[in-house]
Amino acid sequence: MNLFRSRVSTSVVSRMAGELGSSASVPTTTSSSSSSWAKTRSLWPSILRWIPTSVDHIIAAEKRLLSLVKTSYVVEQVNIGSGPPGSKVRWFRSTSDEPRFINTATFQSKEDSPTLVMVHGYGASQGFFFRNFDALASRFKVIAIDQLGWGGSSRPDFTCKSTEETEAWFIDSFEEWRKAKNLSGFILLGHSFGGYVAAKYALKHPEHVEHLILVGPAGVSSESESKPERLTKLRATWTGAVFNHLWESNFTPQKVVRGLGPWGPDLVNRYTTARFGAYSTGEVLNEEESKLLSDYVYHTLVAKASGELCLKYIFSFGAFARMPLLQSASEWKVPTTFIYGFEDWMNYKGAQEARQHMKVPCEIIRVPQGGHFVFIDNPTGFHSAVFYACRRYISPKPENERLPEGLTFA
């Protein structure tokens, strides 16, 4: 595949368009009448469409957000085929045999830099790391991806029917991406749900991962292990029963935003402005960052439902894993660092318990002035934590390195 800075080829966009639904289709014919229709229709999204988005909108929003990054980068749609070779169960059940693609951004780095692969969380995409690419690229060859079914990657029909199939969707598609990129011996970083996927991948393919960094990972503990009293009380109310029913019906937050149609962008903007502004635990977004991130988040949320539908199969109501990482902690073969913001709603005590069962080196680092999105709230502290976690790969004398000031061990 040809690499490009922030643009996707017409042929790839055309294939992806069909996966985003008829409201996001891109004409593939070249006749004058079709061209005229396309030009006319290009004026429609913001005016006449109920959900004003398309593949072009996602790609353009990503390009605008990454314009804040000073480091040169290339973006490619990595072909991962239509299913894992030799597998009886493909990561999606689909009538289409068209190949799928993983949206991948690679940032310029010094020669021989260790490779750092970054995996986003639920409802997010690789652009969420926009505040981190410059600093991390000074030490690593940074590669950030959109998981299958999210962001600018392909969005196949999601028809998994179990936790095992759902995990395979993400693990196997990532492995096919790794093969296509011919990677091995890399550092794997995952945030939230991306941390869950990264850990499950490292359990299945430890030979490819040098070090695992889990940032506020979801799915460490199960509900029974966490004993959440507030959730138990909530479930006893009719409100809790309604929320639990919606959860088990796979009613996702994205469906709310889609249902609001042309009012959706305003809701997303209000959330982004509040979460990373008035309610930020650290460094607030400036006006330009907030505007570009809000626009990017909106278009990635309201595109065709695909990866988002994993929710009820991976987690029970309250975001507790059905197959928690804690259960397999004794089987881990890759050295691991957990990173949590001081204000992260994900409880670091689950990582402490997992560490007791692990037979590989494990550190838990807490970063001040940071919540669940610690890499946005306190990017400097987050970068320091990552550099310290990877001192064996980037420091000439790792044994002399000390935990940076402000960070604490748990």
Side-chain angles (χ1 to χ4, degrees):
M1 295 288 293
N2 290 327
L3 300 182
F4 51 93
R5 195 178 195 285
S6 51
R7 181 172 57 87
V8 180
S9 68
T10 303
S11 60
V12 170
V13 171
S14 299
R15 284 194 292 268
M16 291 174 61
E19 296 169 352
L20 285 171
S22 58
S23 65
S25 61
V26 177
T28 57
T29 59
T30 57
S31 66
S32 59
S33 60
S34 295
S35 177
S36 176
W37 175 84
K39 290 179 180 179
T40 302
R41 191 171 184 273
S42 67
L43 301 175
W44 291 11
S46 301
I47 303 173
L48 298 179
R49 290 188 189 179
W50 180 251
I51 302 177
T53 194
S54 67
V55 177
D56 290 338
H57 281 82
I58 294 175
I59 295 167
E62 178 186 273
K63 179 180 179 180
R64 288 191 294 270
L65 182 62
L66 294 186
S67 70
L68 299 174
V69 179
K70 298 177 181 179
T71 305
S72 297
Y73 67 92
V74 292
V75 174
E76 59 181 323
Q77 293 289 323
V78 178
N79 188 334
I80 59 172
S82 58
S87 175
K88 294 181 180 179
V89 180
R90 297 196 297 184
W91 61 69
F92 58 90
R93 295 191 185 96
S94 175
T95 56
S96 171
D97 287 326
E98 291 185 0
R100 307 302 181 183
F101 299 86
I102 296 294
N103 190 44
T104 305
T106 303
F107 294 81
Q108 188 177 51
S109 61
K110 298 178 182 177
E111 192 173 352
D112 297 327
S113 296
T115 299
L116 174 67
V117 177
M118 306 181 73
V119 183
H120 63 81
Y122 183 88
S125 301
Q126 52 93 353
F128 270 64
F129 296 114
F130 73 97
R131 275 187 158 185
N132 315 118
F133 290 138
D134 283 329
L136 295 180
S138 69
R139 305 284 189 92
F140 305 98
K141 177 184 179 181
V142 176
I143 305 177
I145 68 165
D146 288 336
Q147 296 193 69
L148 183 68
W150 270 312
S153 292
S154 295
R155 293 178 179 243
D157 296 336
F158 189 90
T159 53
C160 296
K161 301 299 181 184
S162 68
T163 301
E164 291 80 4
E165 282 189 17
T166 304
E167 287 187 354
W169 162 293
F170 296 105
I171 295 171
D172 292 348
S173 59
F174 184 87
E175 171 61 4
E176 293 307 304
W177 171 85
R178 183 204 64 79
K179 290 177 182 177
K181 291 289 291 179
N182 193 29
L183 291 176
S184 193
F186 54 89
I187 300 163
L188 181 57
L189 181 152
H191 170 244
S192 194
F193 173 66
Y196 179 89
V197 172
K200 292 284 184 171
Y201 175 84
L203 277 165
K204 188 174 182 180
H205 301 283
E207 68 277 11
H208 300 305
V209 182
E210 287 286 331
H211 195 92
L212 189 61
I213 301 177
L214 306 181
V215 184
V220 176
S221 305
S222 66
E223 182 178 341
S224 61
E225 292 159 337
S226 301
K227 299 181 177 61
E229 293 182 11
R230 293 179 62 185
L231 181 61
T232 301
K233 291 179 180 179
L234 175 62
R235 278 183 170 162
T237 66
W238 73 267
T239 302
V242 169
F243 278 122
N244 187 65
H245 174 73
L246 290 174
W247 186 283
E248 295 300 329
S249 300
N250 227 353
F251 187 87
T252 65
Q254 290 89 330
K255 291 181 180 179
V256 175
V257 182
R258 293 187 189 101
L260 290 173
W263 294 277
D266 182 62
L267 175 66
V268 173
N269 181 62
R270 287 173 180 269
Y271 165 77
T272 305
T273 302
R275 169 58 185 84
F276 301 110
Y279 295 100
S280 174
T281 57
E283 182 182 328
V284 302
L285 298 180
N286 62 40
E287 184 176 352
E288 182 182 19
E289 288 176 323
S290 181
K291 178 182 178 181
L292 295 178
L293 181 60
S294 294
D295 182 53
Y296 175 72
V297 171
Y298 173 74
H299 290 296
T300 58
L301 286 182
V302 299
K304 175 187 172 182
S306 181
E308 75 188 65
L309 299 177
C310 73
L311 198 59
K312 80 165 189 175
Y313 297 107
I314 299 294
F315 305 107
S316 61
F317 179 53
F320 294 102
R322 299 186 188 278
M323 296 177 64
L325 299 175
L326 183 57
Q327 292 180 357
S328 55
S330 62
E331 303 170 20
W332 289 24
K333 296 179 175 64
V334 177
T336 302
T337 301
F338 291 87
I339 298 176
Y340 291 88
F342 275 18
E343 306 301 324
D344 196 335
W345 62 275
M346 291 292 181
N347 196 333
Y348 69 90
K349 292 182 179 179
Q352 288 180 314
E353 187 174 355
R355 180 173 57 187
Q356 295 176 7
H357 301 281
M358 294 171 67
K359 301 171 184 176
V360 294
C362 175
E363 296 175 327
I364 304 172
I365 300 174
R366 301 185 69 199
V367 180
Q369 297 182 306
H372 190 52
F373 293 93
V374 61
F375 47 90
I376 294 179
D377 296 327
N378 184 356
T380 300
F382 171 73
H383 302 151
S384 295
V386 173
F387 293 152
Y388 182 79
C390 299
R391 57 193 180 278
R392 287 199 304 127
Y393 312 101
I394 61 176
S395 174
K397 294 183 178 181
E399 66 278 2
N400 294 337
E401 295 290 331
R402 297 291 180 265
L403 188 69
E405 184 178 357
L407 308 184
T408 61
F409 285 124

